[in-house]
Amino acid sequence: MNLEDDETTNRSDNRPFADVLAARVSRRTAIAGGLATMATTFVAPSVVSAQATNGNQATAPGSGGRSRVNFEPVAIADGGGPNPAISPDYQYDVILPWGEPILPPYPEHVNGQKSAADQEKQIGIGHDGMHFFPVGPGNGRGTLALNHEFGRNTHVFGKDDPESLEDVRLSQAAHGISMVEIRKSSRGTWSVVRGHRRNRRVTVNTPVTFSGPAAGHPALGDPTRPSYGTVNNCSSGATPWGTYVTCEENFNGYFGATGGWTPTESQSRYGFSETGFGYGWETFDPRFDLSSPDHTGEDNRFGWCVEIDPNKPRTAPVKRTAMGRFKHEGAAFTTGLGGKVVCYMGDDQRFDYIYKYVSRKSWRAMRAEGVSPLDDGDLYVARFDDDGTGVWLHLDIADPVLANLFADQGELLIDTRLAADALGATPMDRPEWATVAPNGDVYCTLTNNSRRIEPNAANPLAPNADGHIIRWTDTRRNTGLEFEWDIYLFAQDTHGTDDTFSDPDGLWADKHGRLFIETDGGQKDGLNNQIMVADLRTGDLRRLLTGVAGDEITGIAYTPNQRIMFANSQHPGNGDPNLTNFPVMNETPDGATIPRDATFVITKKDGGIVGS
Ligand code: FEO
Ligand code: CA
Ligand code: CA
Ligand code: CA
C-alpha cells in the first residue's frame, strides 16, 4: 500500500535518519573519494554488458567472475501500459485473481463482486505478502498463504461509502488472508485444489486469540469480549517451524467515530481519526466505532503480528504481542546464534522505526517445552549512529525510563511506538520490507527520504524522493545488540529514461546471493511498477518484470528449488477498466473486463532458477 498522504505522527525529538545519513554519507564520501562511488547505476537492457559492474561499488565491490543475474532485462513499460511485460528469457502465467472461488459452493466472480457471502468463499482483493508452504517434494504442490491488504470501496462494491452492514461485510470479506492449496499440472499450469482441507479464508471476522505479555491486558478492553480478525495485512514472514506470520499495517484506517470521541496520546501516535481512511465500517459495525462504549480497547487489538498454521486450518490465528504493536510492514525471520529465532520488522510510516525480536532461547528447545518462541523473547528498536554503527535498544519494562512510563510489559508493548520514542530510536523514512541474506546481513527498503531538501556534497542525492535500501550486520549472528550499517542502494528517478526506479518496497534475498526488489510507488512519469534483481556480489541490477497501469507489484514467494516464483499485481488499473483489463482470464456472460488483483507465476524459459 502506498500512502503518499500518510500523516507523520512521531512528535519525538529523536534524530531523524536523514540527518544521520547525511553525516554518514559525508564521512564516507571523504574516505572513498567521490560521489560516484555512492551511486547505484541501473543496468538498462541496452547497456547490460558495458555497465555490469558499475552498481554499488562502494558497498558491494565487484570481484569479477560470473554474475548470478544473467537474463536479458525488460525495458521500462510506458505509462499506461495495459499488460505486464517480462524479460524475453522468462514467461509468466496468472493465477488466483480476486474473486476466484476456493471454498464450497465455489461462487463464480462475474465482473464485480456481488455479496459478502460469495466473497467469503473466494480469493480476496489487494494481494500483498505471501509464502509458499511446499507439500511433499514441494516444487509442484503446496499451500500458498496470501495477504489481502486493502481494497477501496468503489473497487470492491462500487460505492464511496457503505450503505448497509452487507456492504461493510463485503469489504471485510475482501480483506484478510487466503490459504489456498495449489498444484502444478503436467502441462505446467497451476490451479486451486478444490475441496482441500487447508483451503481457508481468514478475515476481520474470524475468531483469533492473543498470546504473550499483552494478552488479556485491560487496555485491550473487556477480556470476556471475544477477539476477531486481522486487517490490512501487508507483508508477512514464515517461521523456521513452518507457520505463516501476517502483519497488520494500516489498521488505524478501518476505525472511525460516529459520536463524541477524543483521541488518547496513544491513539494519536497510531494515527486514529474520526474518519479513518474512509472505509466507513464504523457506520454499521460498532466494533470499529472509536466512540462505542461497548468496544473500548478494540483499537488496541490490532497492529500485531499474527501467526497462522497452514496445517491447522481450524485453529484460531494467534496475535503474538511480544513482537510489538505498530504498523507492521513485514516480518523477516532467521535463526541466529544459539538457535534463537530472530525477526526484523519495519513500521511503515514516515519517521517511524525498525525493530528486531529475539526469542529467549533456541526455538527448537522452546517448542519442545510447549512454549511459542514468539511469546517469550526480547523486542528491540534500532538507533543508527553516523559513524556507521548502531545499537538495538531494549524495549523492556526493566529499563528505568520505560518503567516510569508504563505499568507493565503488556502496556509497553501495546504502546510500542511511545516506548521507542522514549528510548531515542532513529526515525526512518518509511521502513518497508526487510530480508536476511545467507551471510546474516539484513537489507531493508526505505521508500523515501523527503527530509533532505538541498543537494550538496554531504547529501549527494537530496532530495531522495525515490527511496533507498539500507543494509546492516548484527553482532552475534543476528542476536547481538550492536550492528554496522551502510546504504546498499539509492533508487533513482531518471525522468523517463529506461533506468528509472523509485519506491523500493518488496524485498527478498535468495540463498544464492540475489536480491529481488519490487516497487510499489507508481513510478515517476506514469511508468509502471517493476521487479528488479540484483547480484549482491557484483552490484549488477536488472529489470525482470513490469506491471500494468495503476498497479503495485507486491509479494514474493517461491518453490524450494527456486524455479518458480510468485508475485502479485495489486490493484491493477486502480480498478478502472479504461486503464487495463488485466487479467482477463475467463470470459463471463457480462464480460469479465474489470481489472483484478492477481498472482504471477514466473518461470525461466530454460527451466533455470528465477533471477538467473
Ligand atoms: Fe503495505 Fe507499507 O505497504
Ligand atoms: Ca508494502
Ligand atoms: Ca509501499
Ligand atoms: Ca512506496
Side-chain angles (χ1 to χ4, degrees), residues 1 128 149 234 249 329 348 432-433 505-506 520 552 554:
M1 186 176 197
D128 206 327
E149 186 186 27
C234 181
E249 190 191 7
E329 173 82 12
D348 180 9
E432 301 260 18
W433 289 40
D505 190 319
D520 83 335
E552 303 181 30
T554 62

Side-chain angles (χ1 to χ4, degrees), residues 257-594:
T258 64
W261 167 74
T262 306
T264 62
E265 180 192 11
S266 168
Q267 286 173 325
S268 294
R269 185 66 178 83
Y270 283 89
F272 289 95
S273 69
E274 280 185 11
T275 57
F277 293 171
Y279 289 96
W281 289 5
E282 72 279 8
T283 317
F284 297 99
D285 186 347
R287 275 177 71 203
F288 297 92
D289 184 352
L290 295 162
S291 61
S292 167
D294 297 332
H295 298 87
T296 308
E298 188 70 21
D299 49 327
N300 286 334
R301 296 186 182 191
F302 294 87
W304 305 101
C305 282
V306 188
E307 187 177 17
I308 303 175
D309 188 338
N311 284 311
K312 294 180 179 167
R314 281 192 274 277
T315 302
V318 185
K319 301 208 169 183
R320 299 293 183 190
T321 64
M323 301 174 79
R325 177 171 172 264
F326 44 91
K327 294 189 179 184
H328 284 276
E329 173 82 12
F333 285 93
T334 190
T335 299
L337 193 66
K340 295 179 177 182
V341 72
V342 179
C343 183
Y344 295 95
M345 303 170 283
D347 181 350
D348 180 9
Q349 191 151 357
R350 290 193 179 107
F351 307 109
D352 261 291
Y353 307 129
I354 291 173
Y355 296 86
K356 170 168 94 164
Y357 175 83
V358 183
S359 63
R360 183 77 62 203
K361 54 185 184 178
S362 149
W363 65 259
R364 283 191 172 85
M366 293 180 78
R367 283 174 57 80
E369 294 166 8
V371 178
S372 169
L374 303 183
D375 282 346
D376 186 8
D378 296 295
L379 185 66
Y380 304 92
V381 66
R383 190 190 75 212
F384 292 80
D385 297 324
D386 63 21
D387 63 354
T389 67
V391 182
W392 290 106
L393 306 165
H394 196 186
L395 293 161
D396 190 280
I397 196 67
D399 183 299
V401 172
L402 299 178
N404 202 33
L405 293 173
F406 303 101
D408 49 46
Q409 184 70 13
E411 185 183 319
L412 184 161
L413 290 165
I414 290 166
D415 286 331
T416 299
R417 281 182 164 186
L418 294 172
D421 291 346
L423 289 191
T426 300
M428 307 297 287
D429 301 313
R430 292 192 59 194
E432 301 260 18
W433 289 40
T435 186
V436 186
N439 69 353
D441 283 357
V442 189
Y443 295 76
C444 181
T445 45
L446 296 158
T447 222
N448 67 48
N449 196 348
S450 57
R451 272 282 182 96
R452 276 191 285 166
I453 297 167
E454 293 294 329
N456 57 47
N459 303 276
L461 295 180
N464 181 14
D466 301 309
H468 54 278
I469 298 174
I470 194 169
R471 167 175 56 189
W472 65 86
T473 307
D474 280 356
T475 51
R476 296 175 60 80
R477 250 180 54 220
N478 300 95
T479 66
L481 301 188
E482 289 106 41
F483 57 90
E484 294 187 355
W485 67 272
D486 218 325
I487 301 297
Y488 171 66
L489 181 154
F490 287 102
Q492 294 176 326
D493 169 19
T494 51
H495 298 289
T497 67
D498 195 76
D499 58 353
T500 195
F501 161 36
S502 294
D503 301 315
D505 190 319
L507 197 63
W508 174 54
D510 79 2
K511 63 189 175 196
H512 304 293
R514 294 182 199 88
L515 187 70
F516 291 75
I517 307 164
E518 296 174 331
T519 71
D520 83 335
Q523 302 296 275
K524 301 299 186 293
D525 306 320
L527 298 168
N528 293 344
N529 278 298
Q530 47 189 319
I531 300 176
M532 256 87 49
V533 190
D535 182 326
L536 288 174
R537 185 172 49 94
T538 64
D540 190 353
L541 180 66
R542 304 190 188 198
R543 182 182 298 111
L544 177 65
L545 176 141
T546 60
V548 303
D551 76 355
E552 303 181 30
I553 303 295
T554 62
I556 300 172
Y558 43 88
T559 54
N561 66 9
Q562 288 186 214
R563 290 167 200 275
I564 296 162
M565 180 174 145
F566 305 96
N568 299 312
S569 170
Q570 190 191 60
H571 59 78
N574 283 314
D576 181 355
N578 297 309
L579 281 177
T580 176
N581 304 121
F582 173 83
V584 179
M585 298 181 71
N586 300 301
E587 289 298 339
T588 53
D590 54 346
T593 55
I594 65 163

